[in-house]
Amino acid sequence: MDDLWRRIGTRNELVLLGNPAKRFNLADVNRASKQKLGTARLERTYKAELEDGITTVVVKMLGDVVSRAKRFRDKVETIGTMDHENLLPLRGYFYSKDQKFLLYDYMPLGSLSDQLQNRETPLSWEVRLSIALGAARAVEHLHAQNSYHGHFKSSKVLLTPSYEARVSDYGLTLFPTRARDRGANQAQVGGANKKSADVHGFGVLLLELLEVMPPSETLYNGQADFLTSVHSVFLEMGVAEVFGRRYHDLDEKLLKLAIDCASDAVNSCDGPRTPMREVRRRIEELCKLGGQRDGDSQPDKVIKGTKDMSSWFIPSAQVDRDSQLYQFSKVNKDMHTR
């Protein structure tokens, strides 16, 4: 068991939010079988299977948060007000001087990034577009509340058993940390460019859905350089060279939206040039226009009649043009080789 868990005290109360079908306490979480799902700079995430054999939750441990109890609970309450069907709901929290964590539903399909790396069962066009729309609605909702995500990417879009999008890790930037207090993270500076960063991240997600670029988690060269390559090829050589395969007019429309988003000026003081409400509207239009694309494979088998388990239980660098095109064409060729 991870040493972090041995430091969780039992004097403070685990707070569950909403009306969980199964109530449990801190001792239950301490005794749970745990599997590490991921490690980030400021937090660690675990899958916890309780001893009842039924309840599985995700525990996000906030290792660098510096906050008094009242301020921490105020921030948790703020996250709770960001309720939306495409946001992963916060289910509970624990606070002590030495340890703080948040509780979420466990999503067995993992993230969109995970699914995009699964080459054996690729997502169909309909499922990809539905996921994009759900994620856009979630980020639009955050922006409408004068909030933002701060670290939006495909690994933050989790999927229910019916492939519905649930955006995770929103609101984490509300918690004060030592790094943020030092001003180390530029993404925390300025409300407008925080939203622009979300739009930029959404554009990258669309490029991943279109298989124009690999999932960000696996990109072996800098993302900025790769986006520069995509933009250069699009402007100078056209849509066909970007895809490197036969494409549909709906692909082209989504590609143009992706480039509009990804090339947004992240440091703009006036906010994104392509606001999320416009992004969501354009994706909705694509949903109305298209069923299955010509030559597309059959839609993925979506679990139907199953209870949704999510219910409680731009370019910045100047790169030599020839190297840009070489890098882009090499990755594009590798991605589309079957």
Side-chain angles (χ1 to χ4, degrees):
M1 183 183 298
D2 194 294
D3 288 342
L4 281 172
W5 289 99
R6 299 194 183 104
R7 299 203 299 268
I8 297 180
T10 58
R11 291 174 298 175
N12 299 76
E13 181 183 2
L14 175 68
V15 179
L16 300 182
L17 306 176
N19 297 301
K22 167 72 176 181
R23 300 202 70 84
F24 52 92
N25 56 33
L26 182 62
D28 295 322
V29 175
N30 280 332
R31 292 193 301 266
S33 172
K34 301 175 185 73
Q35 173 188 350
K36 186 179 290 185
L37 297 179
T39 301
R41 187 168 61 90
L42 301 179
E43 68 265 353
R44 297 185 183 182
T45 305
Y46 298 83
K47 171 186 175 183
E49 297 181 353
L50 273 57
E51 289 183 338
D52 62 10
I54 300 173
T55 308
T56 302
V57 295
V58 167
V59 183
K60 184 171 292 292
M61 307 191 74
L62 307 175
D64 198 38
V65 168
V66 286
S67 179
R68 295 184 179 275
K70 183 180 184 305
R71 187 178 182 188
F72 184 87
R73 295 186 179 104
D74 287 345
K75 299 305 181 185
V76 168
E77 184 175 333
T78 299
I79 294 175
T81 64
M82 299 178 188
D83 182 53
H84 187 272
E85 63 181 351
N86 293 116
L87 292 174
L88 185 69
L90 179 64
R91 297 307 193 186
Y93 68 92
F94 172 79
Y95 176 93
S96 72
K97 180 180 179 180
D98 300 322
Q99 193 62 263
K100 305 160 189 67
F101 66 78
L102 307 175
L103 287 178
Y104 297 94
D105 292 318
Y106 173 63
M107 298 285 108
L109 289 185
S111 70
L112 175 59
S113 179
D114 296 332
Q115 293 296 318
L116 291 175
Q117 293 175 57
N118 182 359
R119 307 302 296 173
E120 294 182 1
T121 55
L123 300 173
S124 69
W125 164 260
E126 293 90 345
V127 170
R128 291 170 190 248
L129 203 57
S130 175
I131 291 170
L133 180 57
R137 287 171 172 168
V139 179
E140 179 190 15
H141 179 73
L142 294 177
H143 289 189
Q145 297 190 72
N146 200 30
S147 184
Y148 62 98
H149 189 284
H151 303 287
F152 184 78
K153 52 186 177 179
S154 59
S155 62
K156 304 299 185 182
V157 179
L158 305 184
L159 302 176
T160 73
S162 54
Y163 291 89
E164 297 175 3
R166 297 288 185 272
V167 173
S168 66
D169 288 1
Y170 59 94
L172 294 185
T173 52
L174 292 172
F175 295 108
T177 67
R178 295 178 184 90
R180 289 179 193 129
D181 287 346
R182 290 193 302 265
N185 189 348
Q186 186 177 353
Q188 310 308 317
V189 181
N193 59 1
K194 293 170 185 175
K195 293 181 179 180
S196 292
D198 285 349
V199 175
H200 172 87
F202 194 87
V204 173
L205 178 145
L206 293 181
L207 292 173
E208 294 174 22
L209 282 172
L210 287 166
E211 297 186 346
V212 167
M213 66 182 292
S216 300
E217 303 297 317
T218 67
L219 192 58
Y220 50 81
N221 280 326
Q223 186 186 94
D225 290 352
F226 197 93
L227 289 174
T228 299
S229 303
V230 173
H231 204 217
S232 175
V233 173
F234 176 73
L235 292 177
E236 297 181 32
M237 304 181 70
V239 176
E241 291 297 324
V242 172
F243 283 111
R245 58 175 168 83
R246 188 163 65 90
Y247 67 93
H248 191 276
D249 60 345
L250 297 180
D251 291 300
E252 181 177 356
K253 292 178 184 295
L254 194 60
L255 173 64
K256 290 179 178 178
L257 175 59
I259 292 176
D260 286 346
C261 293
S263 61
D264 250 333
V266 176
N267 294 320
S268 169
C269 296
D270 299 323
R273 294 192 299 268
T274 310
M276 284 306 302
R277 63 179 179 276
E278 173 68 12
V279 175
R280 183 261 309 155
R281 184 191 65 78
R282 288 168 67 175
I283 296 175
E284 285 179 341
E285 289 181 354
L286 290 178
C287 290
K288 294 176 183 177
L289 286 174
Q292 197 168 320
R293 296 175 298 181
D294 295 337
D296 197 12
S297 59
Q298 289 298 315
D300 299 303
K301 293 182 179 179
V302 176
I303 301 175
K304 297 182 182 298
T306 302
K307 183 178 180 180
D308 192 339
M309 297 298 290
S310 67
S311 59
W312 189 194
F313 296 20
I314 137 191
S316 59
Q318 293 298 320
V319 183
D320 179 75
R321 180 177 176 276
D322 291 337
S323 64
Q324 288 180 10
L325 297 179
Y326 173 76
Q327 177 194 7
F328 176 77
S329 62
K330 183 179 184 302
V331 175
N332 206 26
K333 179 179 179 181
D334 291 342
M335 290 182 63
H336 297 291
T337 299
R338 292 292 187 264

